Amino acid sequence: MSLNIRRIRYPALQLHHVIKKHYSVASKSTAKASELFTDEQRRQRENVGRIEKIEVRYLGLPHDTTLVMNRELSTPYDCARHIGEKYCRQSALALLDNKTPWDMRRPLRDSCTLQLLNFTSPEPHIANKAFWRSCSFLLGAVLQASFKPEAGLFLHSFPKPNIKSGSFVHDIVLAEEHWNPTVPELRALSIEMIKLSQQDLPIERLDVSSELALEMFHDNPFKREQIPSVAAQNNGQVTVYRVGEHVDISKGPMMGSTGLLGRCTISASHPIKEGSERGKHFYRMQGVALPAVLRIGHFAYNILENRSRKLNSAKLPNEPFEDTVAEQVA
């Protein structure tokens, strides 16, 4: 099983080429999940009813200011547009009331103070975790678009981000028992990540009912198994994210746009023997990346690449989900 680097037909894996402005050639199930996301997003906006105003006290450069915004409609990204265009481009995440990380495109619920976080802040750890989590999510999008249907690909989950581990992770299931991607194949996946970055697509968040989540992931038995446990820990709700037409489950928060992703390498695939069965084999996909605003030399980046190839020790996908849901769903 190999990647279609030069449009040659291989048994199970190929890289789809971008033919529209949207990120990938979506499968029917992917397109259906995205359609349900759009419908629910529209329904929630329409249910806001009478528009109420809130005061958002922005703290930061170029100067502190108070903005009057719309409750349940306006987002930190909308606030950034009032402050300056560069803050829209550079901000990865918002911090509300000096304590709550908040997605840039997630509607604000109440009056609050607002800080915009980026990757060059003196204390970037909150933004860095969101970046690592976003990389796992985007890797899932790339993998979903890269495999042919006969590969039997299912996205399983990705563990909570641990930057000290040296790699971001996405765990998958394949029908193939002995898949060992070549260096050119991994490089091709890395290129797809960069293409995704170049499109500067918004990363959108939505809280949905467990019933709708089950419908979104009706063809993925692993997601369907996870959803009741996720909902039980989130007041019956499941948080999903979308980029292009790709939808996945995550607690978030994530960075606001794919354009914040810079240098990126998909570096390794590790088979996970425990829990695998005939026709369903676990693999841990790993990579390393830098935010677009950060630049380092080739030698230093090569050290990061080599480190990222070691098996990440985060919770494995075959461990009982109910016991490790907080670890397995980032």
Side-chain angles (χ1 to χ4, degrees), residues 1 11-14 29 143-144 146-156 171-177 179 219-222 277-283:
M1 178 165 52
L13 186 58
Q14 70 175 0
S29 59
L143 293 169
Q144 189 79 69
S146 299
F147 282 85
K148 292 181 180 179
E150 54 264 37
L153 170 72
F154 291 105
L155 299 182
H156 186 281
D171 295 323
I172 64 173
V173 178
L174 291 174
E176 175 69 37
E177 183 177 2
W179 181 55
D219 63 341
N220 188 323
F222 301 98
E277 58 186 69
R278 185 174 181 180
K280 294 181 180 179
H281 302 278
F282 289 104
Y283 293 86

Side-chain angles (χ1 to χ4, degrees), residues 154-168:
F154 291 105
L155 299 182
H156 186 281
S157 58
F158 47 96
K160 67 179 183 180
N162 179 7
I163 299 170
K164 292 182 180 180
S165 70
S167 60
F168 59 84

Side-chain angles (χ1 to χ4, degrees), residues 144-207:
Q144 189 79 69
S146 299
F147 282 85
K148 292 181 180 179
E150 54 264 37
L153 170 72
F154 291 105
L155 299 182
H156 186 281
S157 58
F158 47 96
K160 67 179 183 180
N162 179 7
I163 299 170
K164 292 182 180 180
S165 70
S167 60
F168 59 84
V169 171
H170 205 118
D171 295 323
I172 64 173
V173 178
L174 291 174
E176 175 69 37
E177 183 177 2
H178 301 292
W179 181 55
N180 185 23
T182 64
V183 171
E185 290 170 349
L186 291 174
R187 186 179 301 120
L189 291 172
S190 303
I191 291 171
E192 292 303 302
M193 290 284 284
I194 297 303
K195 288 181 180 179
L196 194 52
S197 169
Q198 291 171 344
Q199 292 180 69
D200 195 19
L201 297 175
I203 298 177
E204 305 170 278
R205 173 190 172 118
L206 194 66
D207 294 322

Side-chain angles (χ1 to χ4, degrees), residues 45-84:
R45 287 172 177 168
E46 291 174 350
N47 283 352
V48 170
R50 185 173 66 88
I51 296 177
E52 299 180 15
K53 298 298 182 180
I54 57 174
E55 286 192 358
V56 178
R57 179 63 176 168
Y58 169 70
L59 306 176
L61 296 173
H63 54 79
D64 297 354
T65 187
T66 298
L67 303 170
V68 178
M69 309 300 289
N70 297 324
R71 185 193 303 271
E72 298 289 358
L73 291 174
S74 298
T75 67
Y77 185 82
D78 295 322
C79 296
R81 293 175 64 185
H82 287 284
I83 298 164

Side-chain angles (χ1 to χ4, degrees), residues 210 213-214 221-234 236-238 249 321-322 325:
S210 58
L214 288 169
F222 301 98
K223 299 290 185 187
R224 290 180 62 85
E225 181 182 357
Q226 297 162 15
I227 285 169
S229 296
V230 172
Q233 298 187 28
N234 192 32
Q237 296 283 296
V238 177
I249 300 170
F321 190 83
E322 291 78 6
V325 61

Side-chain angles (χ1 to χ4, degrees), residues 69 75 98 106 146 180 193 217 239 261 278 290 300 306:
M69 309 300 289
T75 67
N98 204 36
R106 182 182 180 185
S146 299
N180 185 23
M193 290 284 284
F217 301 100
T239 302
L261 174 66
R278 185 174 181 180
L290 295 174
N306 290 334

